[in-house]
Amino acid sequence: MRTGVRAQQREQTRQTLVRESRRLFSTQGYASVHLSEVVQAAGVTKGALYHHFEGGKAALFRAVLEQVQQEVATRVAATADAQRDSWSQLTAGCHAFLEATTDPSVQRIMLVDGPAVLGWRSWRAMTEATSGRHLAHALTALVLEGAIPAQPVAPLTHLLSGAMNEAALWLAASEDAADLAATRQALTQILEALRTR
């Protein structure tokens, strides 16, 4: 019984550290956050932080980034899965990704600080394991159905993923509310150009 309570307390401490770190990273940016702020906000000691995240700030950021990426991937998958056919699933999922990344905290953590903190290769691997995996599955299904011409899926996945990430970063800096609708329209046109005629 006592072991279960301790495990629950450890998990609660870990969740609190991730939650408070996420709040700080999203509002101040990774470089501006100090571990002393994190432990104060979480109400724990630095020892407790290092117990859960041996790599310190970088390990804590990785946990936050994993959480954000998983939330975006879940949102994309749920939106896509609500559609009836593979083509609608692809388009709805791509648009859901753009919508999810209009959240400034998601942009900051996932698209700005993510590659800078973890390095391009590690960040890319995390992206491929979440939203990138869903995109690859959707494109594979469309190739198999003949809805898009037969072609290697990996390059197409990277091209579309890169275009959507870049669009999300551009939208983050935009001050024109009409840019989201224009980006959605451009994305739809790009996707339509892939379809078999």
Side-chain angles (χ1 to χ4, degrees):
M1 183 76 161
R2 193 173 176 103
T3 304
V5 170
R6 285 188 181 157
Q8 187 177 14
Q9 288 172 335
R10 280 193 300 272
E11 181 56 26
Q12 187 175 8
T13 299
R14 186 184 189 285
Q15 288 177 9
T16 301
L17 283 163
V18 171
R19 183 184 66 244
E20 292 303 322
S21 298
R22 180 175 177 169
R23 182 180 60 78
L24 292 166
F25 291 146
S26 67
T27 56
Q28 299 177 32
Y30 177 84
S32 298
V33 174
H34 300 284
L35 285 182
S36 57
E37 293 175 90
V38 173
V39 295
Q40 182 178 1
V44 301
T45 64
K46 275 194 180 179
L49 185 147
Y50 282 107
H51 172 75
H52 291 280
F53 301 97
E54 287 182 20
K57 185 176 164 183
L60 191 52
F61 180 81
R62 177 181 281 276
V64 168
L65 176 59
E66 286 172 349
Q67 183 183 71
V68 170
Q69 285 188 324
Q70 190 55 55
E71 287 172 6
V72 169
T74 299
R75 180 174 170 180
V76 167
T79 302
D81 290 345
Q83 305 302 312
R84 286 188 237 188
D85 61 87
S86 298
W87 184 258
S88 297
Q89 289 174 347
L90 172 70
T91 57
C94 288
H95 286 286
F97 176 82
L98 272 185
E99 291 288 338
T101 57
T102 59
D103 179 336
S105 67
V106 170
Q107 292 167 344
R108 183 77 175 258
I109 291 168
M110 193 168 96
L111 300 172
V112 177
D113 284 345
V117 174
L118 297 184
W120 181 255
R121 186 170 294 183
S122 293
W123 177 81
R124 193 72 210 132
M126 288 177 72
T127 299
E128 287 175 14
T130 52
S131 298
R133 182 172 44 87
H134 294 297
L135 180 58
H137 287 181
L139 291 169
T140 299
L142 290 166
V143 167
L144 292 173
E145 291 172 12
I148 61 176
Q151 60 190 289
V153 170
L156 185 56
T157 301
H158 286 279
L159 284 167
L160 286 175
S161 178
M164 288 187 288
N165 285 337
E166 181 60 31
L169 285 169
W170 176 71
L171 286 170
S174 171
E175 295 179 7
D176 188 345
D179 284 341
L180 177 59
T183 303
R184 288 175 56 90
Q185 183 179 3
L187 177 59
T188 298
Q189 290 173 342
I190 289 169
L191 294 174
E192 285 294 331
L194 296 173
R195 290 182 92 166
T196 303
R197 299 290 177 224

